[in-house]
Amino acid sequence: MVVVAEGGGEMHILFISRYYYPEKAAAAVCVGETAKRLIRYGHQVTVLTTLPSYPTGIVPPRYRGRLLQIEFIDGVRVLRTWSYTSANRGFFKRISSYLSFGCLAALIGKKALGTPDLIIVGSPPLFNVIAAHLLTWFLHVPFIFWVADLWPESAVQLGILHNPILIKVAEWLEWQTYQRASLVWVVTEGMRTTLLRRGLRSEKIFLLPNGVDTARFYPISQTDARRQLGWPDMFTVLYAGTHGLTHGLHTVLDAAEKLRGQVDIRFVLLGDGAEKTTLMAEASRRQLTNIHFLQPLPHEAMPLALAASSICLAHTRKLPIFEDMLPMKMFEAMASGRPLLLALNGEACRVAVQEARAGIYCEPENPEALATGIFYLYTHPDTMKQLSQNGRSYIQTHFDYDYLTARLHEQLQLLIPLSSATQH
């Protein structure tokens, strides 16, 4: 049940996000879930975004041909400005797309925005903050920097950002944004610790994780879900999400090869991304008939896919940057009552395995450990049942979006005097 604030404290809040509904990117979902809930507290909410094209780079026909268009989604006013679009592959094309939005969104959308009381700008991509800096200068309003990934550090660790000049420019932009923001909103304890170590003042950092809609993601009949999706009645290991450089999904192929003799175990990789074509070709070359690649589903259909699975996999590459990560797919699986197989180090392991007791851990990028973890859960149905119950209970208490948005609303009330002072 949502408790709505009574009287006073209402604001016009502007979110700046490169991604938004109907896109399925994690940023789109996080902003959307938060934005529509803030309306319940009496706030007016606008989202400044661009044309939906993630991850293919293809803009749907109804969004083409205009510099600026306005629509309403769940009561949220959405301003879409033109920007260069590209598929989610090819570093320089993506950077060009990010810069295009960051530089043009404020200029194209300024007149239609009105006068917000507060801007919340999300990263990644980091270049969203260019729009926030411009609008802060134009409109004289404060902004919150919502950090879901420490960029460019993550890009450097992944090996996709090499140019020393670009790295220096990105690091300068990142630090300037930390300094100029009224508040830096981080989504994990690890990010907070990193920024404190870099010298950012503790009173400037607000820790609030991403979450999940537990009314939408909840335990439903596996039999019914499999019948609706046409999935066979087999032990199904589901990876649902982006197939990108960060996720290390070649390890899943290796684990599938090790388990090919277990005829009742199948792998489903649901989603899209820069690595999907390569993964499909490699699976075909190895003749891995126990692994199946499916196209992404609308976000509203994801509870059905999770319900149809036996266990849900969260996997990344074994890099230090991912030790501060709490992936959204983890929350959705726990809310849906699905056991987790977690191939992440750091904070995700602490939350899901040690505190929630909702899954088991295996070392990232270790096919033997992944295959062993899958087989263990396959042969221990009582353990799976307990993990399922634990995860659902924990997520309702700590990571439900209604609870998290209530905490955000309380924090926003503290910024109202600053907003008034800035505009006057």
Side-chain angles (χ1 to χ4, degrees):
M1 180 177 178
V2 181
V3 180
V4 179
E6 295 183 4
E10 293 86 2
M11 307 171 74
H12 177 192
I13 301 167
L14 171 66
F15 285 88
I16 301 175
S17 175
R18 173 68 179 73
Y19 306 106
Y20 200 67
Y21 297 144
E23 293 173 314
K24 307 174 189 70
V29 175
C30 293
V31 174
E33 293 291 337
T34 304
K36 68 184 181 184
R37 283 171 172 78
L38 285 173
I39 290 174
R40 301 173 188 173
Y41 290 90
H43 299 296
Q44 177 187 346
V45 182
T46 301
V47 174
L48 179 62
T49 186
T50 188
L51 314 177
S53 65
Y54 178 85
T56 62
I58 300 171
V59 177
R62 72 187 183 96
Y63 288 105
R64 298 175 189 171
R66 285 172 286 174
L67 277 178
L68 175 70
Q69 46 197 296
I70 301 172
E71 61 181 330
F72 286 84
I73 301 176
D74 295 326
V76 178
R77 184 171 178 252
V78 183
L79 269 64
R80 299 188 184 275
T81 63
W82 180 90
S83 68
Y84 169 71
T85 59
S86 73
N88 192 39
R89 57 178 62 91
F91 178 73
F92 285 103
K93 285 187 176 181
R94 279 187 292 165
I95 290 294
S96 298
S97 176
Y98 298 158
L99 280 169
S100 172
F101 173 70
C103 295
L104 294 177
L107 301 176
I108 297 173
K110 177 178 174 293
K111 286 186 178 180
L113 287 174
T115 305
D117 299 297
L118 176 71
I119 296 170
I120 302 177
V121 58
S123 172
L126 175 63
F127 300 114
N128 289 348
V129 303
I130 298 173
H133 286 295
L134 288 171
L135 287 171
T136 298
W137 184 57
F138 291 153
L139 303 174
H140 307 290
V141 294
F143 74 92
I144 294 174
F145 187 21
W146 183 2
V147 183
D149 188 6
L150 296 176
W151 208 94
E153 181 182 347
S154 59
V156 173
Q157 287 193 25
L158 283 166
I160 58 177
L161 182 57
H162 306 279
N163 187 300
I165 296 175
L166 187 55
I167 292 172
K168 287 293 185 185
V169 169
E171 288 175 343
W172 175 84
L173 179 62
E174 178 194 31
W175 188 250
Q176 287 296 309
T177 307
Y178 290 141
Q179 294 293 95
R180 294 181 182 180
S182 299
L183 197 68
V184 177
W185 169 4
V186 295
V187 298
T188 69
E189 183 62 48
M191 291 180 185
R192 181 179 182 275
T193 301
T194 297
L195 294 182
L196 288 172
R197 189 170 61 246
R198 290 184 186 178
L200 201 63
R201 302 191 314 275
S202 61
E203 62 269 21
K204 198 168 189 176
I205 304 173
F206 172 53
L207 171 60
L208 186 71
N210 294 323
V212 64
D213 182 346
T214 59
R216 176 181 292 175
F217 290 87
Y218 66 98
I220 58 180
S221 167
Q222 185 179 78
T223 301
D224 290 346
R226 288 180 174 179
R227 184 174 62 249
Q228 290 185 57
L229 293 172
W231 290 12
D233 188 21
M234 298 172 65
F235 188 88
T236 301
V237 181
L238 174 66
Y239 173 86
T242 305
H243 299 26
L245 293 170
T246 65
H247 302 101
L249 296 182
H250 288 275
T251 303
V252 180
L253 270 59
D254 295 337
E257 188 160 19
K258 291 179 180 298
L259 291 170
R260 68 195 314 165
Q262 301 295 328
V263 295
D264 194 42
I265 298 177
R266 72 193 290 258
F267 294 77
V268 172
L269 270 62
L270 175 65
D272 206 345
E275 291 287 285
K276 182 169 184 175
T277 301
T278 303
L279 291 164
M280 292 177 67
E282 180 64 15
S284 178
R285 185 187 68 79
R286 298 196 210 179
Q287 298 182 328
L288 296 176
T289 58
N290 59 343
I291 191 162
H292 304 269
F293 293 87
L294 302 181
Q295 291 301 309
L297 293 172
H299 190 250
E300 56 269 21
M302 283 306 301
L304 199 64
L306 293 170
S309 70
S310 302
I311 61 175
C312 294
L313 172 64
H315 192 285
T316 65
R317 290 177 57 189
K318 192 178 180 181
L319 295 171
I321 191 69
F322 297 128
E323 294 181 9
D324 296 340
M325 182 180 183
L326 289 174
M328 191 172 67
K329 63 173 66 68
M330 182 178 89
F331 298 143
E332 293 176 348
M334 291 166 68
S336 300
R338 295 292 84 204
L340 278 171
L341 185 53
L342 196 73
L344 282 90
N345 292 324
E347 194 158 348
C349 182
R350 175 181 61 79
V351 170
V353 177
Q354 298 171 12
E355 294 181 5
R357 298 183 181 180
I360 64 171
Y361 166 81
C362 66
E363 184 183 26
E365 296 191 281
N366 184 333
E368 187 67 42
L370 181 56
T372 299
I374 292 168
F375 189 73
Y376 175 82
L377 291 173
Y378 172 60
T379 54
H380 290 78
D382 289 343
T383 299
M384 288 180 55
K385 183 177 180 181
Q386 189 61 58
L387 295 174
S388 300
Q389 293 171 351
N390 293 346
R392 173 67 184 177
S393 176
Y394 185 87
I395 215 78
Q396 284 181 296
T397 304
H398 298 281
F399 290 98
D400 181 85
Y401 262 124
D402 289 345
Y403 161 72
L404 296 173
T405 308
R407 286 182 55 196
L408 176 61
H409 170 73
E410 291 173 1
Q411 183 67 42
L412 294 180
Q413 302 310 294
L414 303 178
L415 293 177
I416 288 176
L418 175 62
S419 172
S420 301
T422 305
Q423 293 189 53
H424 297 93

